Every structure is written in structure tokens, then in C-alpha cells.
Amino acid sequence: MVVHMDRAFFFDTVRRELFKGELTQPQVVGITAILDAWERRFADADRRWLAYILATAYHETAYTMQPVRETLADSDGRAVEILETAFAAGRLSWVKTPYWRPDEDGRSWLGRGLVQLTHKRNYQAMSVLTGIDLVADPDRAMEMDAAVTILIEGMLQGSFTGHKLADHLNATTADWVNARRIVNGTDRAEKLAAYAMAFDAAIRPDAAHGMRARLKAWGAHVIARLRSGAPRVR
């Protein structure tokens, strides 16, 4: 059954819970683009998936809800400089091959979009998915329509890591933490889980009444883990 979202309620809720009481026009535009694309094609799908998609964009774009380059640089050249400096300093220890370095054609496969698309193979895969030749022009991943398609379809299909939304949010499971594996292992997984639960409550008014209690309980859980010395999800 298709359930249409109360967008006034949605924006009021996320403005208060996630955007410190104020939404900029670019943030509204970015969120609306995601909502519109979702409702055109997936309105009858699990709304928790939409919540986690929005949470991913919120995190990956540093809350701007606009397609961005990796490092938030305003040009490929500057992004490459920042990544090279970090790599040389050992701050990117998980990187085996510096994927941002321009290839023989001068193209860099650094992260772009609403979810950071990296590596030429992923640009090739998303070219097929979007119908846009992202290999010939990687910067087109910064276009809103392309970025939204990559974000939604990639997370639905498991294009990024092999994990997909249905693996972690389904009829028997609501694993908000491990849903992070869809994009980037368990990096910042607990933060993403909290963001997604807030978006979920905004999408579903029936969930909003318990949202504060859920988030408070989540915060208490994280604090208890820290105090007990248990390993944190990173």
C-alpha cells in the first residue's frame, strides 16, 4: 500500500531534530530531490530504506544535502591536493591505491555526489545504471539527478559493497547500525543509525511520538558502551 508522506510534518521534524532549527534553500532542494525520486519509483517500498538513504546523504555531504566532492573541495585539483597530503601523512591507512590520482586521460576517480562514488570501476557501473557516461565525464556525478539515482539505486541494489538495504532493514530485522555496511563498513555506524532513526520518525508520523525516547535510549546505550570500555563501532 502506498502511503504518501506528510511533507510539512517531515520538514518540521528534520529541521528541529537534525538541522538545528534551520534549513537552507540548498538543503531543502537536495532533500526534495531525494523524496521526489523515491516517491516516483519506490513509494510502496519500506520507508525505513528511505530514512537510511537520507541519513547517508546527510552524513556523506556534511549535512549540505548537495552533491559534493570528497574533502568538500571546490575543484578536483584541490581535492587531490588534500587527499595526497592526508595519504602522505598516513591518515588514509585503509587506502592501498590512491584512486584520486589522475589517470592517463587526466581523469580523477575521487569521491563525488550524495554518496561518495570512488574508483573507476564504480563510475563504470554507475554509468550503466544512470545511462550517463560518467567515465567520459566523472563530474557529472555531481549533477543532482545523477547523484540521486546513484544514491538510491546503489543502496537498493548493493552496488557499493555488496550489502543492500533489504539485508539490514526487512520484515524481521531493523539493524540500523550494520546498515552502514551498504556504503562504508562500520565507519561512524552508530551516528548514521541515530540520523536514520530521526529521519524515520519524520517520514512516519506514527513513529514520531516515540522518537525522542528511542534516541535517548540509543544515546544511553552508546554512553554505557563507552563507560564499560567495550569496543566502539568505528
Side-chain angles (χ1 to χ4, degrees):
M1 179 179 68
V2 176
V3 179
H4 293 289
M5 185 190 308
D6 181 341
R7 291 206 184 186
F9 175 86
F10 171 85
F11 279 105
D12 285 346
T13 302
V14 299
R15 180 184 296 109
R16 181 180 65 250
E17 301 297 336
L18 290 163
F19 292 92
K20 299 181 180 180
E22 184 177 359
L23 278 164
T24 66
Q25 184 63 19
Q27 287 169 331
V28 172
V29 168
I31 293 170
T32 299
I34 295 170
L35 297 182
D36 287 349
W38 180 265
E39 290 195 341
R40 280 196 302 270
R41 299 187 59 191
F42 306 108
D44 58 346
D46 192 325
R47 285 176 292 172
R48 294 173 302 172
W49 297 353
L50 174 58
Y52 203 87
I53 286 168
L54 287 162
T56 297
Y58 177 78
H59 175 74
E60 296 283 322
T61 68
Y63 323 128
T64 67
M65 306 307 290
Q66 288 288 309
V68 296
R69 287 181 182 81
E70 191 171 3
T71 76
L72 305 181
D74 59 6
S75 69
D76 287 358
R78 179 57 183 150
V80 169
E81 288 178 7
I82 294 170
L83 289 165
E84 285 289 357
T85 298
F87 186 65
R91 295 198 301 272
L92 302 177
S93 58
W94 59 90
V95 175
K96 295 180 180 178
T97 302
Y99 52 85
W100 56 82
R101 291 177 179 169
D103 64 13
E104 62 276 7
D105 296 315
R107 300 187 184 101
S108 172
W109 309 106
L110 53 82
R112 297 178 179 87
L114 292 166
V115 59
Q116 295 295 286
L117 185 66
T118 58
H119 296 283
K120 184 175 182 178
R121 64 180 179 275
N122 291 323
Y123 280 84
Q124 292 170 326
M126 290 300 157
S127 293
V128 175
L129 188 151
T130 62
I132 298 170
D133 191 348
L134 300 171
V135 176
D137 188 357
D139 273 342
R140 293 201 65 187
M142 296 282 287
E143 296 175 1
M144 183 62 80
D145 287 349
V148 169
T149 299
I150 291 166
L151 171 71
I152 294 177
E153 295 284 0
M155 295 184 71
L156 285 171
Q157 297 183 24
S159 303
F160 305 124
T161 66
H163 288 253
K164 57 184 181 294
L165 286 158
D167 293 336
H168 303 286
L169 300 166
N170 53 54
T172 59
T173 304
D175 191 346
W176 296 103
V177 174
N178 280 301
R180 180 60 173 156
R181 296 181 186 277
I182 297 163
V183 173
N184 194 10
T186 54
D187 177 62
R188 308 295 191 274
E190 291 178 336
K191 283 187 175 182
L192 267 290
Y195 301 154
M197 291 191 318
F199 275 113
D200 184 46
I203 292 167
R204 303 187 305 137
D206 58 299
H209 298 296
M211 179 181 66
R212 291 184 181 278
R214 289 163 64 202
L215 292 177
K216 183 177 180 180
W218 181 259
H221 162 73
V222 173
I223 291 169
R225 285 168 58 87
L226 293 174
R227 288 177 176 172
S228 68
R232 287 195 301 167
V233 177
R234 295 181 62 86

